[in-house]
Amino acid sequence: MSGTSLDGIDIACADLQLHGDELLVGYRGLISVPFGEETHQRILAVLPPASPGAQGICALDADLGHAYGVAFARARDELADGRADLAVLHGQTAYHWVDEKGMALGTLQLGNPAIIAEALGIPVISDLRSRDIAAGGQGAPLVPMFDCLLLSGPAGAGTAGGTGSLRGAAGVVNLGGIANLTVVACGQVVAAYDLGPAGALMDPAAWRASAGAMRFDVSGEIAASGRVRRDLLRLLASDPFFELTPPRSTGREHFNAAYLDSALRRVAPEPSPADVVATVTRLVVDQLAAAASRYGLRELILSGGGSRNTTTLRWLRSALPGTRIRTSDEVGVPTQAKEALAFAVLGFLSWHGLPGSVPAATGARRRPILGSITPGRGPLVLPPPVPMAPTSLRLIAPQP
């Protein structure tokens, strides 16, 4: 997994097996490989509002494929005793095409799976979002399948999601480049959608406030040192995206550094760099607080890099005094590993011929089997169809 935060590659390793209607997950660990400055800048150079040529996109696709292959091999050797059966690749999102009506029309993730399959010699499942879009969905968010399985299992036994009513629903939020929310009640996804920008605006603001020394406001110190500019906050919150009815999705093709520059030109006097960081951080908090109130969330579980931002957590707890707020670490899933582990689960479902998207989250007409399979060095042999899809997930000790 390398997300819209553009910070690097996360590879989660797990033993996965179906046991009746339960998915057993033996989490072995995570390897994180930060992007070097050159790679980081090359990725930025193909993202909107840049207009890269075909050569630049092709070269980055191949180079990321090699980088992912090396990272996968390292995870296999260090976490799985040199043995792996299947690799699942999310890739680096270069563009997520959504029209003015909020309908997703296409999506492009870079990182050539053929290079990875050749390097590892095992099958690779990739391009997991496109099939959902082809079925009329947004292609995002896809993590709600994992969220629902997790909260329907033992890890969610103590959460508000098991209380049996919408007023007792639990929310799961991943704070990456884009913040996305899953609402679960009674073992079902009630709603799931992209809330709006998190790191997509917070990161460029922090980079500028630190004169290029920090790619992101890790602990929220910059935000805490500034003050929220209400005029800028109102301007950002008035973006038409926030008026779209879920399901909805977005990305850096809409919310990016140039978008923030445009907003700053429309307020006077010009905010200080620390005030900008505080304001875009407050934007995320306000969107989360509004969603928590809308769905009556008794609990909110945070993951992703943004969950380490103590200012975000402090402001969120202040805005939602009646909501229990904790991180996914507290339910057994490391915050940094959660999204990568979720895509491992999605790939495992596809490998067994099971759907991975949730129509309540993406708006798809049906529940498609996600992704494309690139064979390894030998013939492609799929497992036999399974009699039932899992309805819950249980974390277990990894196999020896």
Side-chain angles (χ1 to χ4, degrees):
M1 181 79 204
S2 53
T4 50
S5 58
L6 309 182
D7 51 357
I9 304 168
D10 288 332
I11 299 186
C13 181
D15 301 320
L16 299 165
Q17 58 179 305
L18 290 166
H19 182 70
D21 63 352
E22 188 174 47
L23 177 61
L24 305 181
V25 179
Y27 173 65
R28 286 176 173 260
L30 179 81
I31 283 182
S32 294
V33 183
F35 285 136
E37 186 59 29
E38 180 184 356
T39 301
H40 182 76
Q41 292 301 322
R42 288 182 64 197
I43 295 171
L44 285 175
V46 305
L47 299 181
S51 300
Q55 179 180 355
I57 294 175
C58 181
L60 183 59
D61 183 52
D63 288 346
L64 284 175
H66 287 293
Y68 292 138
V70 171
F72 269 121
R74 179 183 161 194
R76 175 199 61 200
D77 294 343
E78 295 183 14
L79 301 176
D81 299 322
R83 298 178 293 111
D85 301 310
L86 180 68
V88 185
L89 172 70
H90 176 273
Q92 181 64 58
T93 298
Y95 198 81
H96 191 69
W97 183 17
V98 180
D99 67 13
E100 64 279 358
K101 297 179 181 179
M103 178 175 291
L105 303 176
T107 191
L108 176 63
Q109 282 73 43
L110 300 181
N112 191 320
I115 294 174
I116 299 166
E118 185 63 25
L120 300 180
I122 62 175
V124 178
I125 296 182
S126 61
D127 194 22
L128 284 88
R129 299 189 184 277
S130 290
R131 188 60 181 272
D132 184 83
I133 291 177
Q138 293 283 325
L142 294 183
V143 173
M145 171 64 80
F146 178 87
D147 292 337
C148 188
L149 291 174
L150 179 68
L151 292 187
S152 297
T159 69
T163 60
S165 70
L166 179 59
R167 293 302 300 175
V172 187
V173 179
N174 188 75
L175 293 171
I178 301 298
N180 44 67
L181 169 71
T182 304
V183 178
V184 177
C186 305
Q188 300 292 324
V189 174
V190 175
Y193 56 95
D194 283 353
L195 280 167
L201 296 185
M202 295 165 67
D203 294 351
W207 186 83
R208 291 169 183 174
S210 65
M214 298 170 61
R215 287 185 185 174
F216 49 94
D217 189 12
V218 183
S219 61
E221 291 181 8
I222 301 176
S225 70
R227 67 182 183 89
V228 176
R229 277 285 296 268
R230 295 293 167 181
D231 52 349
L232 177 59
L233 181 62
R234 285 192 297 270
L235 177 61
L236 295 173
S238 68
D239 188 284
F241 171 77
F242 297 114
E243 299 300 321
L244 293 175
T245 301
R248 69 188 192 200
S249 61
T250 190
R252 285 184 181 264
E253 65 284 342
H254 184 63
F255 296 107
N256 49 52
Y259 173 93
L260 185 57
D261 286 340
S262 176
L264 292 175
R265 288 193 293 268
R266 297 164 62 187
V267 296
E270 181 178 348
S272 73
D275 289 354
V276 175
V277 178
T279 303
V280 295
T281 301
R282 189 73 217 186
L283 178 68
V284 180
V285 171
D286 285 354
Q287 294 301 320
L288 276 172
S293 298
R294 182 180 308 118
Y295 294 105
L297 299 184
R298 300 288 180 85
E299 181 162 25
L300 199 54
I301 301 172
L302 309 182
S303 64
S307 64
R308 299 194 298 269
N309 187 310
T310 56
T311 299
T312 299
L313 289 172
R314 177 164 52 84
W315 288 355
L316 196 55
R317 290 187 171 113
S318 177
L320 296 169
T323 302
R324 182 186 185 191
I325 297 171
R326 53 181 177 158
T327 68
S328 64
D329 290 301
E330 298 174 64
V331 294
V333 179
T335 55
Q336 188 65 24
K338 189 224 170 179
E339 197 166 16
L341 186 58
F343 272 87
V345 167
L346 292 177
F348 178 83
L349 294 176
S350 296
W351 185 248
H352 287 82
L354 297 171
S357 67
V358 180
T362 69
R365 294 183 296 270
R366 61 183 187 84
R367 301 181 64 201
I369 300 171
L370 303 177
S372 299
I373 302 176
T374 302
R377 296 196 189 112
L380 183 64
V381 180
L382 295 172
V386 296
M388 67 180 73
T391 60
S392 64
L393 180 156
R394 178 158 56 97
L395 297 165
I396 62 172
Q399 297 175 355

